[in-house]
Amino acid sequence: MKKLKVGIICYPTVGGSGVVATELGLKMAERGHEMHFITSSRPFRVPDVQPNIYFHEVKIDGYAVFKYPPYDIALANRIARVIEEEGLDLLHVHYAVPHAISAALGKDMANSDIGVITTLHGTDVTILGHDPALKNTVRYGIDKSDMTTAVSESLRQDTLSLIEPQNEIKTIYNFIDEEKYRPVNPGSLKTDMGIREDEKVIIHISNFRSVKRIGDIIDSFKLIRKEVDAKLVLVGTGPEKLEMMEKARKEGLVKDIIFTGKRDDLPELLAISDVMFLLSEKEAFGLVLLEGFACGVPAIATNIGGIPEVVEDGTNGFLVELGDVEAAAMKAKMLLEDPFMHGNFRESALRTVRDKFNSATIVLEYEKLYYRVAGLK
Ligand code: GMT
């Protein structure tokens, strides 16, 4: 079968949608396809030199006439040029706004009939879809695409009811790089971080946006801490970080909550962790849960969005209702105090990644779609 030339449009900085776009691009490149990233900067997980991976930077000059430099138009221009210069077979756009719209415009500028796939990641529907102006924009992006995918069944349903597109939407689950995320030896990391060997570790990894409800995690940890010797490790950075540091201080938990900032050694951090917390109010999938599972860390997570498609209550973790910090603490204590139960949950977490979210299977699903949209099957 002919190898494909694919244009990938995504947010290149930290964030689940960029991670999925990049990992998929890398896997497709390994399968011999030419992957052309068209982004504002090199996606953070794309190595400088890698066979079959190309990077086309979108540049925009800040002319005085613009209050807001029109990135969407600059992106469309770059897409049009790459379609023409590289002879692309299709475009794969991650996150509807503005990428799906820029793709439609770029394709039109190039006077091309190239196929477009848009992958919805969550907030492009669950937050932007509530804004009447953006709702129409998201619908336009979906209906201009030849195929739209959603990262969970929950997001597919939300899109159908909120956006009411004409086109069909197909669910394709996210996956992680199993070679990177696996049980590893963390060396002396636990003691290096000032955590005693006999202390339990609860981990949360995110971009510290309000949607992640880190305040709930701290409140729940406070309840756990009364009965269990444990530390809470908060990894990442973002708009709520300072507020959360202040909350930790007010709650008298400064010594028990470790703010690590952004880290690259996630498998090692997960290797020292006993439980992951994700108590978000919106989450289309919760990629970080899979990263934790792949390292053998069960989760306590909210019963919202796509999370129940990843966390099977009482098997690889526990589901709690949004804001129920008492239930989260109670379930976490059960896991932390019962090594037998913890062992079973750990095995089941590893199995979830191997069976339900196997990268090889999911990449093949995308590849099938690529051939279909490129008109080759
Ligand atoms: O919410 C984030 O952490 C970032 C956001 C993004 O756009 O990158 O994540 C969304 O896409 C991820 C990858 O598909 C999903 O795992 C997240 O659940 C989703 N976030 C939300 O729905 C809030």
Side-chain angles (χ1 to χ4, degrees), residues 189-226:
L189 181 62
K190 197 167 175 178
T191 41
D192 293 350
M193 289 175 71
I195 308 172
R196 289 195 324 270
E197 277 307 329
D198 61 322
E199 272 181 310
K200 301 290 181 191
V201 175
I202 296 167
I203 191 165
H204 168 79
I205 307 170
S206 80
N207 48 21
F208 281 63
R209 287 189 292 137
S210 63
V211 77
K212 304 291 172 185
R213 301 268 287 231
I214 299 177
D216 285 0
I217 297 179
I218 295 179
D219 289 341
S220 186
F221 174 68
K222 193 173 180 186
L223 299 173
I224 297 168
R225 185 68 196 87
K226 283 185 188 153

Side-chain angles (χ1 to χ4, degrees), residues 65-110:
V65 72
F66 296 134
K67 185 171 177 200
Y68 306 107
Y71 175 75
D72 320 2
I73 293 177
L75 174 61
N77 263 291
R78 197 73 175 107
I79 291 172
R81 263 181 53 204
V82 179
I83 291 175
E84 287 167 347
E85 289 171 7
E86 304 290 343
L88 298 184
D89 295 301
L90 75 144
L91 296 171
H92 188 177
V93 168
H94 293 262
Y95 208 90
V97 181
H99 299 156
I101 290 79
S102 301
L105 185 57
K107 175 177 159 173
D108 200 44
M109 284 173 167

Side-chain angles (χ1 to χ4, degrees), residues 38-227:
I38 310 170
T39 45
S40 55
S41 59
R42 182 175 286 275
F44 71 109
R45 288 193 188 176
V46 172
D48 281 351
V49 185
Q50 180 85 359
N52 289 332
I53 295 277
Y54 301 85
F55 167 54
H56 307 268
E57 189 180 359
V58 181
K59 287 205 188 102
I60 175 148
D61 290 325
Y63 298 116
V65 72
F66 296 134
K67 185 171 177 200
Y68 306 107
Y71 175 75
D72 320 2
I73 293 177
L75 174 61
N77 263 291
R78 197 73 175 107
I79 291 172
R81 263 181 53 204
V82 179
I83 291 175
E84 287 167 347
E85 289 171 7
E86 304 290 343
L88 298 184
D89 295 301
L90 75 144
L91 296 171
H92 188 177
V93 168
H94 293 262
Y95 208 90
V97 181
H99 299 156
I101 290 79
S102 301
L105 185 57
K107 175 177 159 173
D108 200 44
M109 284 173 167
N111 207 6
S112 158
D113 60 0
I114 188 174
V116 178
I117 299 174
T118 293
T119 293
L120 305 170
H121 281 272
T123 44
D124 41 0
V125 169
T126 56
I127 293 185
L128 305 187
H130 288 284
D131 177 328
L134 286 174
K135 172 181 164 163
N136 292 341
T137 310
V138 177
R139 189 195 293 128
Y140 175 85
I142 294 174
D143 287 338
K144 280 282 178 189
S145 303
D146 297 275
M147 174 56 77
T148 299
T149 69
V151 297
S152 64
E153 187 51 29
S154 146
L155 181 58
R156 189 180 91 85
Q157 294 297 344
D158 282 349
T159 310
L160 294 178
S161 57
L162 263 166
I163 310 290
E164 302 172 288
Q166 278 176 356
N167 282 353
E168 260 179 63
I169 296 173
K170 179 179 166 61
T171 298
I172 300 187
Y173 283 135
N174 283 333
F175 65 91
I176 46 105
D177 177 2
E178 295 101 340
E179 275 170 41
K180 175 172 179 191
Y181 290 96
R182 61 194 167 83
V184 296
N185 181 349
S188 59
L189 181 62
K190 197 167 175 178
T191 41
D192 293 350
M193 289 175 71
I195 308 172
R196 289 195 324 270
E197 277 307 329
D198 61 322
E199 272 181 310
K200 301 290 181 191
V201 175
I202 296 167
I203 191 165
H204 168 79
I205 307 170
S206 80
N207 48 21
F208 281 63
R209 287 189 292 137
S210 63
V211 77
K212 304 291 172 185
R213 301 268 287 231
I214 299 177
D216 285 0
I217 297 179
I218 295 179
D219 289 341
S220 186
F221 174 68
K222 193 173 180 186
L223 299 173
I224 297 168
R225 185 68 196 87
K226 283 185 188 153
E227 292 172 45

Side-chain angles (χ1 to χ4, degrees), residues 280-304:
S280 311
E281 61 188 43
K282 283 187 198 299
E283 208 67 72
F285 185 89
L287 192 64
V288 75
L289 293 166
L290 270 197
E291 294 175 344
F293 283 179
C295 298
V297 183
I300 308 286
T302 33
N303 187 17
I304 53 99

